């Protein structure tokens, strides 16, 4: 007697705990592919907060460490504004990325993208160690910090492009278009405003 065996497709197993961070640094592509089946919102929120604090502390060390005490008094406010600023950019850029990715026939969820973009900010947490290392280099401290900061920016850029590509299952070229869309939109708006101002001035002068 012949038996017919049926195989049901198994759902991809998500990540748990610190495995999320481990995969983010060691295998970011696999990390972003597993995000839809992973609860990582708390990790993304924590990384956004730590990212803002790290950037603010690094800027304070770089610009305000030898400044008057009144500036040091505003350090807590500086930290809060830095976190709010990074969170605002994260949310707005995520919304724009989602709309453009869907327009390019991408298939993904905005909630998953926001988590992926939050996780991709993790290299920002290395800003403080970078500036401490640069200070140990004496006269070359500025150049060492600039080089480290550039590496961090490139790292974040790479992670965010991977995030967009894997979440929406689109090509790398389309992911780059999505990533560049906020700059294109802002440039278009500024260009339109400048044209309107020039037209208005020419009409007023005639």
């Amino acid at each position: 007697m012949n038996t017919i065996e049926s195989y049901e497709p198994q759902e991809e197993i998500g990540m748990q705990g610190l495995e999320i961070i481990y995969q983010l640094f060691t295998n970011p592509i696999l990390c972003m592919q597993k995000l839809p089946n992973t609860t990582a919102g708390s990790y993304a929120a924590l990384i956004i907060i730590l990212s803002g604090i790290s950037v603010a502390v690094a800027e304070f060390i770089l610009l305000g460490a030898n400044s008057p005490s009144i500036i040091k008094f505003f350090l807590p406010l500086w930290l809060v504004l830095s976190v709010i600023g990074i969170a605002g950019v994260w949310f707005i850029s995520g919304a724009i990325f989602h709309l453009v990715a869907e327009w390019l026939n991408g298939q993904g969820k905005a909630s998953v993208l926001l988590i992926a973009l939050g996780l991709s900010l993790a290299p920002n947490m290395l800003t403080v160690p970078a500036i401490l290392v640069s200070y140990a280099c004496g006269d070359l401290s500025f150049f060492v910090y600039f080089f480290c900061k550039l590496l961090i920016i490139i790292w974040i850029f790479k992670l965010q492009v991977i995030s967009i590509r894997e979440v929406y299952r689109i090509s790398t070229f389309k992911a780059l278009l999505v990533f560049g869309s906020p700059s294109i939109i802002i440039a278009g708006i500024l260009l339109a405003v400048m044209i309107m101002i020039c037209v208005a001035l020419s009409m007023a002068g005639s």
Side-chain angles (χ1 to χ4, degrees):
M1 181 176 179
N2 295 329
T3 58
I4 301 176
E5 296 182 357
S6 60
Y7 296 92
E8 295 182 359
Q10 297 180 349
E11 291 186 2
E12 187 177 359
I13 300 175
M15 299 171 290
Q16 295 181 353
L18 294 178
E19 181 189 0
I20 300 170
I21 306 301
Y22 174 78
Q23 293 288 1
L24 177 66
F25 284 100
T26 60
N27 195 345
I29 295 176
L30 180 62
C31 178
M32 299 309 172
Q33 289 174 345
K34 288 186 173 183
L35 272 186
N37 300 312
T38 302
T39 303
S42 57
Y43 286 93
L46 180 62
I47 286 175
I48 291 171
I49 294 172
L50 293 178
S51 175
I53 292 174
S54 181
V55 171
V57 170
E59 291 175 350
F60 178 77
I61 294 174
L62 183 65
L63 303 174
N66 299 319
S67 58
S69 58
I70 186 64
I71 296 181
K72 298 178 182 179
F73 176 78
F74 286 103
L75 177 59
L77 179 61
W78 196 340
L79 294 175
V80 173
L81 291 178
S82 178
V83 173
I84 293 175
I86 287 182
V89 172
W90 160 78
F91 183 80
I92 294 173
S93 61
I96 296 175
F97 291 163
H98 174 69
L99 293 175
V100 177
E102 283 199 330
W103 181 67
L104 293 174
N105 298 321
Q107 297 181 354
K109 295 182 179 179
S111 58
V112 178
L113 175 65
L114 287 173
I115 292 174
L117 293 177
L119 294 176
S120 70
L121 294 174
N124 262 339
M125 295 187 295
L126 301 175
T127 306
V128 171
I131 198 168
L132 293 178
V133 170
S134 67
Y135 262 73
C137 297
D139 295 336
L140 297 175
S141 60
F142 175 79
F143 298 100
V144 173
Y145 176 70
F146 178 80
F147 178 73
C148 292
K149 187 67 176 178
L150 182 62
L151 290 180
I152 291 173
I153 292 173
I154 294 173
W155 192 356
I156 293 175
F157 165 75
K158 181 181 178 180
L159 288 177
Q160 295 208 338
V161 172
I162 291 174
S163 300
I164 297 168
R165 186 187 68 194
E166 298 303 327
V167 170
Y168 289 95
R169 300 176 184 177
I170 56 179
S171 65
T172 302
F173 177 72
K174 285 185 177 181
L176 288 171
L177 287 179
V178 173
F179 183 84
S181 58
S183 300
I184 296 173
I185 292 173
I186 293 174
I189 293 174
L190 292 176
L191 181 61
V193 170
M194 291 177 61
I195 292 174
M196 291 174 62
I197 291 174
C198 290
V199 171
L201 290 176
S202 63
M203 292 178 64
S206 59

